[in-house]
Amino acid sequence: MSDECVVFFATGSHAEQVEERVSLVAHLCEKIVISLNKQNPNSLRAGWFLSHAQGMQRANFALWQKVNLEEGYQYNLTVLTSEQMKQLNVV
């Protein structure tokens, strides 16, 4: 029996490190979500390279952004498919 979803945090990782981690557990889950910091160019580049990697077609990318407000802060989240992530201009 597989887990429904596994989330990887790639906010400061190199694409190769995340790809290696995903390959170790991909057979255990139906969905793969890679969390990326939208405000960190290195995080976005790692996600972009991952979206082009073989075996990452079923990965989704959760791009989050911390927004400061008068009453505190909130996080905005955008979820992209691997194909949508490939279309971003981050390199």
Side-chain angles (χ1 to χ4, degrees):
M1 172 145 268
S2 64
D3 287 331
E4 188 164 320
C5 183
V6 173
V7 177
F8 292 92
F9 297 94
T11 55
S13 303
H14 295 284
E16 301 85 28
Q17 293 172 327
V18 177
E19 186 177 3
E20 182 180 314
R21 293 176 194 147
V22 169
S23 68
L24 291 173
V25 297
H27 66 283
L28 299 173
C29 57
E30 293 179 26
K31 296 179 184 174
I32 299 167
V33 178
I34 300 170
S35 173
L36 304 170
N37 181 347
K38 201 181 218 182
Q39 296 164 306
N40 181 333
N42 291 330
S43 181
L44 285 176
R45 275 193 292 276
W48 187 85
F49 282 110
L50 282 169
S51 71
H52 286 80
Q54 187 175 355
M56 289 292 170
Q57 294 82 12
R58 65 185 181 125
N60 289 298
F61 295 85
L63 285 63
W64 58 271
Q65 176 181 19
K66 184 177 179 179
V67 178
N68 292 316
L69 305 171
E70 283 185 23
E71 60 274 1
Y73 60 89
Q74 72 179 26
Y75 288 96
N76 293 336
L77 181 68
T78 304
V79 179
L80 302 177
T81 66
S82 185
E83 285 301 316
Q84 291 170 320
M85 188 69 196
K86 287 179 186 179
Q87 304 305 314
L88 294 184
N89 185 15
V90 297
V91 178

